[in-house]
Amino acid sequence: MNIVVGVTGGIAAYKTVHLVRLLIKAGHDVTVIPTDDALRFVGTPTWEAISRHPVTTSVHDDVARVRHVALGQAAELVIIAPATANTIATMTAGIADDLLGTTLLATTAPVVIAPAMHAEMWQHPATQANIATLRERGVRIVGPAEGELAGGDSGPGRMVEPEEIVAAALAVFAARDLDGLRVVVSAGGTREPIDPVRYLGNRSSGRQGTALAVEAAERGAEVQLVATNVSRDVLQDAGRHPNIRILSAGTAAELGAVMAEAAAASDVVVMTAAVADYRPATVAERKLTKEAGPLTSIELVENEDIVAGLAAARLAGRAPAGQVIVAFAAETPNDEAELLERAHGKRQRKGVDLLVVNEVGWDRGFEIPDNAVRIVSETGVLASVAGSKRDVAGAVWDAIVAARS
Ligand code: CTP
């Protein structure tokens, strides 16, 4: 693919050298267009050597080939990394006072930008308004991430890593096979209060559910992500996506109510959240103390099975036609046969179309980026996937697409 990489004047420009390398290694033809300021951080020889193309910032070079518009016209993708607050402002205003500016006005290719600046500049209403305008025009914004910034400050403003920028940029061309589909995904784990400071909970971080929501949104779906005790950090990517609306729930009862309402108008329901099967029969108004007497047991009552309830609502006609329901199960089996037997039984019992089952243990499945799952349907094991939670999300959506057709 013919890719233009615009580089503007921020310290993160040094990371863009690696970004260009990644694109070249993946077989793309890359033309780098720095701004004059960018060249104060990384010089022309580096960009020429790494991209194997001549590099200039000026609209007055190579005039015979109308370079100031030719690069933009020929580009199939434009990535700007880092994108400073100033460049974001000039882009928004359509100012074309250098080669990058003219290229941006001349191109009809998708544009992906990776902002990098100090947190205050990112949060300034001017920058935020510019970002909103660019987004409306279809520009994809990747980041910024939270973290350490130049000068020892920290906060939102760090350019995201080159690998992530490349993945996000190329995702623009990925399948849009979920276009217009209404989807609800639950993520995380419920907490059932014992008293105002204690709860019964589980180790689910919400990473797999969040990856499912982001994957669906990238493939064109309108997503509601019901976050059940998921940290801000885990929700970062989802929070940035214009097609994802984040709702929240705390207990199983709250999650049940939010899911029932969302599912009634969704084409696909994915229940990734780990739901407590039981809750304390009574919740103490005030903190339980040892002085009030030793607490050696807690009486529990069973929670309703949310996903089974959604499947029953569908059977009763209270769901859009053709709705697909997916449940997840974390198991600690002795062997593969037992894992699959439990998976098939659970899928049938809950009345869902697909059950995604993974093996968990003290050091597997939870709170870590990788996952290994089987996707089970009425006809057997549809797929076995091991990889990142995003890879798993991709395979689950492939299975959902197949189930719908
Ligand atoms: N689930 C639910 N409501 C519950 C319990 C579970 O909706 N009260 C959903 C989970 O979100 C998940 C699926 O059911 O999608 C399987 O969860 P799991 O805990 O494995 O199912 P259980 O029925 O609780 O089975 P087990 O006895 O093995 O814990």
Side-chain angles (χ1 to χ4, degrees), residues 38-51:
L39 295 179
R40 297 167 81 106
F41 293 93
V42 179
T44 306
T46 302
W47 298 123
E48 291 192 334
I50 204 98
S51 71

Side-chain angles (χ1 to χ4, degrees), residues 240-280:
R240 287 198 286 256
H241 205 292
N243 286 11
I244 300 180
R245 184 167 158 235
I246 300 179
L247 308 172
S248 68
T251 62
E254 285 166 14
L255 180 62
V258 177
M259 288 304 292
E261 191 180 335
S266 293
D267 303 304
V268 182
V269 178
V270 184
M271 192 70 191
T272 322
V275 185
D277 291 324
Y278 302 95
R279 67 177 182 277

Side-chain angles (χ1 to χ4, degrees), residues 283-354:
V283 180
E285 274 298 312
R286 302 179 57 185
K287 188 182 155 190
L288 297 170
T289 61
K290 284 200 286 289
E291 289 139 42
L295 178 71
T296 51
S297 65
I298 297 174
E299 196 196 334
L300 301 174
V301 292
E302 199 166 345
N303 281 327
E304 273 177 34
D305 190 316
I306 300 171
V307 81
L310 299 177
R314 174 177 68 173
L315 261 184
R318 295 195 305 274
Q323 184 183 66
V324 172
I325 304 181
V326 184
F328 271 65
E331 305 286 356
T332 52
N334 289 315
D335 54 34
E336 177 78 10
E338 189 192 330
L339 178 78
L340 293 180
E341 194 189 305
R342 288 188 59 83
H344 285 297
K346 198 171 273 188
R347 190 199 64 77
Q348 248 177 346
R349 227 173 23 250
K350 305 223 174 218
V352 301
D353 306 291
L354 301 174

Side-chain angles (χ1 to χ4, degrees), residues 37-233:
D37 266 354
L39 295 179
R40 297 167 81 106
F41 293 93
V42 179
T44 306
T46 302
W47 298 123
E48 291 192 334
I50 204 98
S51 71
R52 302 173 204 149
H53 282 300
V55 166
T56 174
T57 64
S58 166
V59 293
H60 305 301
D61 291 333
D62 204 8
V63 175
R65 268 183 282 170
V66 217
R67 191 177 172 85
H68 72 290
V69 288
L71 290 174
Q73 286 167 340
E76 292 163 89
L77 170 68
V78 178
I79 301 173
I80 303 191
T84 59
N86 184 60
T87 297
I88 287 167
T90 54
M91 264 181 93
T92 309
I95 292 172
D97 59 353
D98 61 3
L99 187 58
L100 183 56
T102 57
T103 302
L104 281 168
L105 284 189
T107 195
T108 53
V111 177
V112 176
I113 70 170
M117 66 198 72
H118 274 268
E120 292 82 354
M121 295 171 79
W122 170 251
Q123 283 157 345
H124 194 283
T127 305
Q128 288 302 310
N130 291 336
I131 287 287
T133 305
L134 292 178
R135 207 171 250 147
E136 234 165 70
R137 285 186 202 151
V139 173
R140 293 283 305 272
I141 323 286
V142 189
E146 298 231 2
E148 214 172 288
L149 305 170
D153 294 348
S154 73
R158 233 165 79 114
M159 186 171 94
V160 301
E161 295 304 317
E163 287 78 4
E164 201 187 321
I165 299 172
V166 170
L170 297 179
V172 171
F173 299 95
R176 301 273 302 177
D177 53 355
L178 304 178
D179 244 337
L181 214 64
R182 295 162 301 169
V183 160
V184 58
V185 180
S186 69
T190 63
R191 289 181 184 173
E192 308 300 324
I194 298 168
D195 68 16
V197 295
R198 303 182 180 95
Y199 59 81
L200 295 176
N202 60 70
R203 285 174 55 198
S204 179
S205 66
R207 286 196 172 84
Q208 183 62 70
T210 305
L212 278 150
V214 172
E215 172 80 12
E218 304 252 301
R219 286 163 74 162
E222 285 297 325
V223 183
Q224 298 197 75
L225 172 60
V226 186
T228 311
N229 305 299
V230 182
S231 75
R232 248 185 73 189
D233 199 34

